[in-house]
Amino acid sequence: MNYKVRIQKHKDFQILENNMPIIKGSRPKWYSSAIIFFYNNKTYEIKKASFWKSQYTVTAGGIEVAKIVVKSLKGYFIQVLENNRIKEEYTVLKTTKSMWSSARIYTVLNNQNEILKIDYKWLKHSWIKYTEDISIEIVQPEEGTPELMVYSLFVMRLIQQAEAAASSGGAGVYG
């Protein structure tokens, strides 16, 4: 199954199936990394667990249903919870299509089995205007839930932010 992601105003997003939105979400504040999305008559919220941790909590109706964990040497993980215990753990990996292209593929794995893939690239409309083109392919429909698609998109943005911060370099201490 293939889905498209539509991003509006860098704040709101929709996941489309056959050009019909199945999930709608947004960032409540432009400076926040938190996301609120609606699916199956539930309101989900992804927000940072605390200032000091690289961990995000996902709540549905005030109940914690998942965690997104960033481990500096091991990578990015999505932990789906049931009764405050880890039910499933997914790993998110990034691969580039070519060295000269901005196209990336983000793969979500569960025990080395591919669950879904996010195909990310920039489309050129003119010499100035570019737009993001994001599509999601569910490899295993029994495990690739719509909630997992949103969690994976959130992790994709975390990876992109980390890459942007690393490539900017900064002036450092000695300028």
Side-chain angles (χ1 to χ4, degrees):
M1 303 219 13
N2 289 325
Y3 299 88
K4 293 293 284 178
V5 178
R6 181 185 304 154
I7 298 174
Q8 303 163 332
K9 302 178 189 174
H10 302 290
K11 182 179 173 183
D12 301 329
F13 69 92
Q14 295 178 347
I15 296 179
L16 308 169
E17 179 180 27
N18 299 326
N19 289 328
M20 295 295 297
I22 59 169
I23 295 177
K24 293 181 179 182
S26 67
R27 286 189 345 207
K29 298 175 183 157
W30 67 269
Y31 55 84
S32 173
S33 65
I35 287 181
I36 295 175
F37 68 96
F38 308 97
Y39 177 70
N40 241 5
N41 296 325
K42 287 185 183 177
T43 301
Y44 290 81
E45 183 178 19
I46 303 175
K47 64 180 182 177
K48 195 157 173 89
S50 78
F51 179 78
W52 302 107
K53 292 184 179 180
S54 7
Q55 184 171 317
Y56 298 81
T57 58
V58 182
T59 56
I63 300 170
E64 189 174 12
V65 293
K67 289 182 183 179
I68 297 172
V69 181
V70 180
K71 297 180 181 174
S72 59
L73 297 177
K74 294 185 179 180
Y76 296 82
F77 299 93
I78 300 168
Q79 299 172 339
V80 178
L81 306 175
E82 188 174 275
N83 298 327
N84 291 330
R85 294 176 190 245
I86 299 173
K87 177 183 172 188
E88 296 287 337
E89 184 170 66
Y90 301 94
T91 307
V92 181
L93 301 174
K94 180 200 76 145
T95 54
T96 56
K97 286 187 172 180
S98 83
M99 189 168 137
W100 309 109
S101 171
S102 66
R104 309 275 188 262
I105 294 188
Y106 298 87
T107 307
V108 178
L109 304 168
N110 183 5
N111 296 327
Q112 304 303 321
N113 297 324
E114 286 186 359
I115 306 301
L116 64 91
K117 290 182 179 184
I118 300 171
D119 187 12
Y120 178 88
K121 60 185 166 241
W122 286 94
L123 294 179
K124 184 176 182 178
H125 298 286
S126 68
W127 68 280
I128 271 183
K129 184 171 178 168
Y130 287 85
T131 58
E132 291 178 304
D133 181 43
I134 304 170
S135 61
I136 301 172
E137 175 190 354
I138 304 278
V139 178
Q140 294 196 17
E142 62 277 357
E143 287 191 57
T145 64
E147 296 97 336
L148 184 62
M149 286 192 281
V150 177
Y151 306 158
S152 303
L153 288 169
F154 187 82
V155 171
M156 177 192 79
R157 288 291 191 217
L158 289 176
I159 294 171
Q160 290 173 342
Q161 289 171 357
E163 288 176 344
S167 68
S168 69
V173 178
Y174 299 106

